[in-house]
Amino acid sequence: MNLFIIKTGAGILLFFLLLGLLYSSVWQPCRVIDPVEQGQMLPADRQPPGLPMPGAAPGRSDVQTLTPWLAPVVWEGTFDPVVLDSIYQAKNITIAATVFAQGKYIRFLKKFLETMEQHFFTGFNVHVFVYTDQPIEVPQVKMASGRQLTVKTVPTVNRWQDISASRMVLVLALIEDELHDYADFIFCLDVDSQFHGRWGTESLGDLVSVLHPGYYKVDRSAFPYERRPISKAYMAPGDGDFYYCGGAFGGLLQEVHRLTKTCSTNFGDDAKKGIEAAWQEESHINRYLWINKPSKVLSPEYLWQDFKPREPELHIIRFSGVVKNYAEIRPNV
Ligand SMILES: CC(=O)N[C@H]1[C@@H](OP(=O)(O)OP(=O)(O)OC[C@H]2O[C@@H](n3ccc(=O)[nH]c3=O)[C@H](O)[C@@H]2O)O[C@H](CO)[C@H](O)[C@@H]1O
Ligand SMILES: [Mn+2]
């Protein structure tokens, strides 16, 4: 009888001992200790929220957000700007941007630069390079600290196709001669456009391109690729992933160096044969990006066109081409 009581007592003791052990080793470490509750932090000092729940990512189900080669397609609602900015702030990066304003296109520069100041990588080191044949017409736009502008004077060119295409050669030279030792990323942008919303760290990647607003919902057979096999921008029927814009692309310096080198060489090779691709350098960019897949694709939020009615999937327009009268503004038709 005594033995029975001792055994039962020992059993009960062991049970509570194990329960205690379980509490201190499993339950206690899992408890989230709130520093605000503990009086160690003021509620106002809480970090801004990151992801809504550990492991849960924000997302969109109404648009394509991943390419077949697993590059993100950036739409509003697919990223957290606070998380992204904090990652790149810590790296102290510099972003270069090029914009060409030749002939009558100089009139677009003021709005482009003013809106760029408000929306393009605010809070980061930005160096804008303006290429123009009228340096004295470049408007003075007040820039925040860490941001600067350099004017590059280029000769007047009388064919818009040549102006548009010459950008490849000049961007290549800029990367080789001036940028390689201090800029991290570069974006090349059309001047006949304005910023309306954030264009920031979510757009950074090795090789970045923008879906053309006119072709992101059409079958690839309708893409205006260069279709003549004799051109180095040639795309065979069935080739191609997306149709990308010539008016905005970018990425790491070394990646944009490769793109501009290949595209300018191919453009030159075509010229020697007397051919100009259907959409000049845009056609060569599209060929390049078919062979060398972009690591990040930006949605048409990143280059819309003001004349187009807004589509329901566009929750924000970040950058958009202004309406212009081609016949009046271009040096030739
Ligand atoms: C939104 C978009 O993807 N636009 C592309 C599209 O037409 P776009 O109609 O947008 O071409 P565009 O007339 O804007 O020319 C492209 C750019 O070249 C510069 N420029 C042009 C003419 C001129 O007289 N002065 C001048 O400075 C300027 O920076 C302009 O933004 O197809 C072009 C093909 O050649 C380019 O690929 C453009 O980037
Ligand atoms: Mn344009």
Side-chain angles (χ1 to χ4, degrees):
M1 182 64 180
N2 266 353
L3 196 67
F4 175 74
I5 292 172
I6 291 167
K7 270 189 183 169
T8 316
I12 292 170
L13 210 70
L14 202 71
F15 174 75
F16 280 110
L17 211 73
L18 278 173
L19 210 68
L21 214 70
L22 201 74
Y23 173 77
S24 61
S25 62
V26 179
W27 168 247
Q28 188 72 7
C30 286
R31 268 189 62 210
V32 179
I33 303 200
D34 185 345
V36 175
E37 250 176 46
Q38 304 278 311
Q40 294 158 359
M41 188 207 258
L42 292 171
D45 292 336
R46 272 192 204 279
Q47 283 295 304
L51 297 173
M53 261 176 57
R60 290 272 298 267
S61 55
D62 60 328
V63 285
Q64 182 181 353
T65 56
L66 211 55
T67 68
W69 59 95
L70 300 179
V73 186
V74 182
W75 290 89
E76 176 72 352
T78 61
F79 62 89
D80 186 326
V82 177
V83 174
L84 279 161
D85 281 357
S86 68
I87 293 168
Y88 287 100
Q89 286 290 5
K91 294 179 196 284
N92 192 30
I93 53 165
T94 295
I95 300 112
T98 60
V99 64
F100 287 69
Q102 291 172 245
K104 291 182 183 170
Y105 279 59
I106 192 84
R107 70 177 65 166
F108 300 120
L109 191 57
K110 189 166 189 286
K111 272 280 179 199
F112 174 94
L113 292 173
E114 280 173 359
T115 57
M116 182 183 220
E117 187 61 19
Q118 290 161 18
H119 301 292
F120 186 77
F121 287 96
T122 51
F124 286 85
N125 305 316
V126 172
H127 194 155
V128 187
F129 293 86
V130 174
Y131 288 79
T132 182
D133 53 347
Q134 303 144 81
I136 52 161
E137 298 297 328
V138 174
Q140 293 286 324
V141 173
K142 199 173 154 11
M143 297 176 96
S145 83
R147 301 170 77 91
Q148 55 175 317
L149 183 144
T150 299
V151 179
K152 299 264 180 197
T153 307
V154 289
T156 300
V157 175
N158 289 320
R159 267 185 87 241
W160 67 264
Q161 296 90 336
D162 294 335
I163 298 172
S164 189
S166 69
R167 295 185 288 181
M168 286 287 168
V169 182
L170 292 164
V171 172
L172 175 63
L174 178 74
I175 296 173
E176 287 184 349
D177 301 343
E178 292 179 51
L179 294 185
H180 59 274
D181 54 349
Y182 82 92
D184 302 286
F185 296 93
I186 182 167
F187 283 96
C188 309
L189 304 167
D190 262 21
V191 75
D192 56 333
S193 338
Q194 293 176 17
F195 293 85
H196 304 282
R198 173 196 164 97
W199 179 322
T201 49
E202 74 285 356
S203 69
L204 295 176
D206 290 11
L207 182 59
V208 182
S209 55
V210 182
L211 295 180
H212 195 293
Y215 300 98
Y216 72 106
K217 290 206 268 197
V218 305
D219 188 82
R220 71 166 56 80
S221 61
F223 291 169
Y225 291 140
E226 172 53 55
R227 299 296 187 183
R228 292 167 296 176
I230 191 174
S231 167
K232 286 217 165 160
Y234 173 63
M235 296 285 280
D239 279 0
D241 304 299
F242 300 104
Y243 190 76
Y244 305 104
C245 289
F249 60 89
L252 275 180
L253 229 52
Q254 54 267 41
E255 286 292 335
V256 178
H257 180 265
R258 272 187 60 202
L259 180 148
T260 49
K261 196 177 173 106
T262 306
C263 291
S264 53
T265 306
N266 289 349
F267 193 90
D269 289 350
D270 273 12
K272 281 180 210 142
K273 288 186 263 176
I275 315 163
E276 187 172 84
W279 286 100
Q280 296 76 38
E281 85 295 351
E282 184 172 88
S283 305
H284 288 277
I285 290 170
N286 272 279
R287 165 81 199 177
Y288 183 88
L289 294 171
W290 161 236
I291 311 291
N292 309 274
K293 307 291 192 211
S295 61
K296 188 172 271 185
V297 175
L298 305 180
S299 69
E301 295 165 1
Y302 290 81
L303 188 36
W304 195 243
Q305 285 167 323
D306 286 354
F307 69 79
K308 282 174 73 69
R310 189 160 168 165
E311 298 287 333
E313 62 276 12
L314 250 85
H315 297 178
I316 180 174
I317 293 173
R318 304 171 191 279
F319 187 55
S320 182
V322 301
V323 179
K324 62 186 192 287
N325 176 354
Y326 281 102
E328 191 264 326
I329 194 115
R330 281 180 168 168
N332 59 308
V333 284

